[in-house]
């Protein structure tokens, strides 16, 4: 009888973990959608490139639950965006998913292998590089078809528009993630919606002023660059 009871307890525990994970991912997906809507208020670059901070939420989900979860969130939000507020259709959907996955899946993969602050910074920096390379390539291929302009014109925009835009976009999300990851994950863990493990959010209530100042300086730098690219200053 005891063996039967023990066997029955395992699926129950696993079911509880699955429900918590699905609940957490659903909440992060909703927050990602809200972040996407708020990003619409940010200034555009060159009149058609929109700065977007939704990758901050997606990447936090990737750090917690792995690269696959980041990819799922990005696809779901891109689909909902296409059917609700986007006017770019399937092309916008593809470009959104490519950009978010290039940044978030790369960063969360590195962080999964090196679950420390150093791993987070390294993963996010590498994610920014991958995002930039991937989007420069895809903008070269897709933008002429989407905007109906010669490929030679787009080629001239790669180093002056698309390259700095994606570097700044990745850097802005990187700074926001470094600032927000610990408080967000601490709140999720108190609500028992995030796994307990070592990483950037570990260490109890210890305050790291140096890391905070680094994150704030990084954020200020990329906010300034966003304003420069948008022609506001």
């Amino acid at each position: 009888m005891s063996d039967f009871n023990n066997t029955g307890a395992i699926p129950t525990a696993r079911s509880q973990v699955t429900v918590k994970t699905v609940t957490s991912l659903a909440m992060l997906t909703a927050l990602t959608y809200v972040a996407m809507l708020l990003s619409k208020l940010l200034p555009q670059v060159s009149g058609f490139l929109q700065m977007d901070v939704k990758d901050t939420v997606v990447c936090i989900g990737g750090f917690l639950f792995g690269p696959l979860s980041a990819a799922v969130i990005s696809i779901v939000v891109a689909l909902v965006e296409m059917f609700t507020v986007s006017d770019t259709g399937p092309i916008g959907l593809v470009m959104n998913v490519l950009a978010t996955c290039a940044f978030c899946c790369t960063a969360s993969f590195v962080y999964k292998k090196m679950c420390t602050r150093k791993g987070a910074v390294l993963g996010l920096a590498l994610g920014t590089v991958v995002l930039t390379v991937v989007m420069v390539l895809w903008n070269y291929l897709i933008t002429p078809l989407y905007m109906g302009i010669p490929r030679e014109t787009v080629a001239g925009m790669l180093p002056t528009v698309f390259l700095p835009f994606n570097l700044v976009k990745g850097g802005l999300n990187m700074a926001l993630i470094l600032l927000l990851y610990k408080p967000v994950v601490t709140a999720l863990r108190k609500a028992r919606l995030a796994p307990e493990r070592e990483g950037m959010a570990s260490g109890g209530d210890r305050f790291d002023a140096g890391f905070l100042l680094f994150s704030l300086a990084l954020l200020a730098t990329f906010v300034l660059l966003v304003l420069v690219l948008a022609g506001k200053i």
Side-chain angles (χ1 to χ4, degrees), residues 8 42-43 47 72 74 82 100 103 105 110 115 121 132 175-176 179 186 190 198 211 224 227:
L42 296 176
V72 170
S74 69
M82 182 181 70
T100 301
F103 177 73
C105 293
V110 173
C115 197
V121 173
T132 303
L176 287 171
L179 275 174
T186 299
K190 286 182 179 180
E198 294 299 317
F211 189 77
L224 182 63
L227 295 175

Side-chain angles (χ1 to χ4, degrees), residues 45-46 153-165 229:
V45 175
S46 298
T153 303
V154 174
M157 297 170 63
L158 295 180
T160 59
V161 177
F162 294 112
L163 177 65
F165 170 79
L229 286 179

Side-chain angles (χ1 to χ4, degrees), residues 190-223:
K190 286 182 179 180
R192 300 184 181 277
L193 292 174
E196 295 287 347
R197 68 182 187 188
E198 294 299 317
M200 277 201 299
S202 64
D205 297 324
R206 184 177 59 189
F207 177 72
D208 192 332
F211 189 77
L212 176 62
L213 289 174
F214 166 75
S215 301
L216 287 171
L218 197 65
L219 178 61
T221 299
F222 283 103
V223 167

